Amino acid sequence: MKKFIVLTAVFFMGVFFAQEPIKNLNKEDIPIEVANLVDISTVTFMIDTEPSFPGGMSAFRKEFSQNFDTSALEKTDGGTLKTVVYYVVEVDGSIVYVKAIGENESFNKEAERTLKSIKTKYAPAKVNNLVVRHILRMPLSMNFK
């Protein structure tokens, strides 16, 4: 129980993640695992207004961390788990086509499950005041002690 509390505290204090819009990328720049999931031709990369989560990044981090289940992860003897989660924000603001790419499969799966569980909708990306589909990436790391 003590290790779980420490792990949980480390997770909430030590997870470093941020949304990074993928700008000025071509189809060839998208990882093949993501390109196989998303029809890249329907995603707009050059945008005027980035998608925004209601309440900003702090609200997004809070919702993500509240839904992340550390018990779903494979046991580890310390170190850092890392993944990069790619996802599309649809024109209605919903999150779709979630794909995590990293070395630890259980961490990837839990990151994907957590992001899919977020039902709060974004304000979608815009180009010339028209809403468009846009892809975001979220680097994620968790430290274990």
Side-chain angles (χ1 to χ4, degrees):
M1 181 67 176
K2 185 177 179 181
K3 186 174 183 177
F4 173 74
I5 292 170
V6 169
L7 176 62
T8 303
V10 168
F11 173 73
F12 289 116
M13 292 185 299
V15 172
F16 303 104
F17 62 94
Q19 294 166 270
E20 296 177 3
I22 300 173
K23 296 181 183 178
N24 303 322
L25 294 180
N26 298 316
K27 179 180 177 181
E28 296 79 28
D29 296 322
I30 301 298
I32 191 70
E33 300 92 339
V34 176
N36 287 339
L37 181 65
V38 180
D39 181 0
I40 297 300
S41 68
T42 66
V43 175
T44 304
F45 292 98
M46 300 298 294
I47 56 174
D48 298 331
T49 306
E50 294 182 18
S52 61
F53 195 80
M57 277 306 297
S58 60
F60 180 83
R61 285 185 188 106
K62 182 178 179 182
E63 191 163 346
F64 188 90
S65 63
Q66 287 175 339
N67 291 324
F68 196 93
D69 180 11
T70 57
S71 69
L73 303 179
E74 295 172 4
K75 301 293 182 205
T76 183
D77 293 328
T80 301
L81 296 177
K82 294 182 180 184
T83 191
V84 178
V85 185
Y86 293 84
Y87 59 101
V88 172
V89 175
E90 286 285 357
V91 295
D92 70 353
S94 59
I95 297 171
V96 295
Y97 301 113
V98 178
K99 181 65 179 171
I101 302 171
E103 292 183 13
N104 185 292
E105 192 61 33
S106 66
F107 189 51
N108 293 343
K109 286 182 180 179
E110 183 55 23
E112 289 174 359
R113 186 207 61 80
T114 302
L115 198 52
K116 289 176 184 177
S117 74
I118 295 176
K119 300 304 177 201
T120 304
K121 293 189 175 189
Y122 275 78
K126 292 183 179 181
V127 174
N128 296 327
N129 266 351
L130 299 173
V131 294
V132 295
R133 296 174 92 205
H134 188 64
I135 192 165
L136 296 171
R137 70 179 193 159
M138 180 177 65
L140 190 65
S141 67
M142 182 183 296
N143 298 316
F144 291 87
K145 294 185 179 192

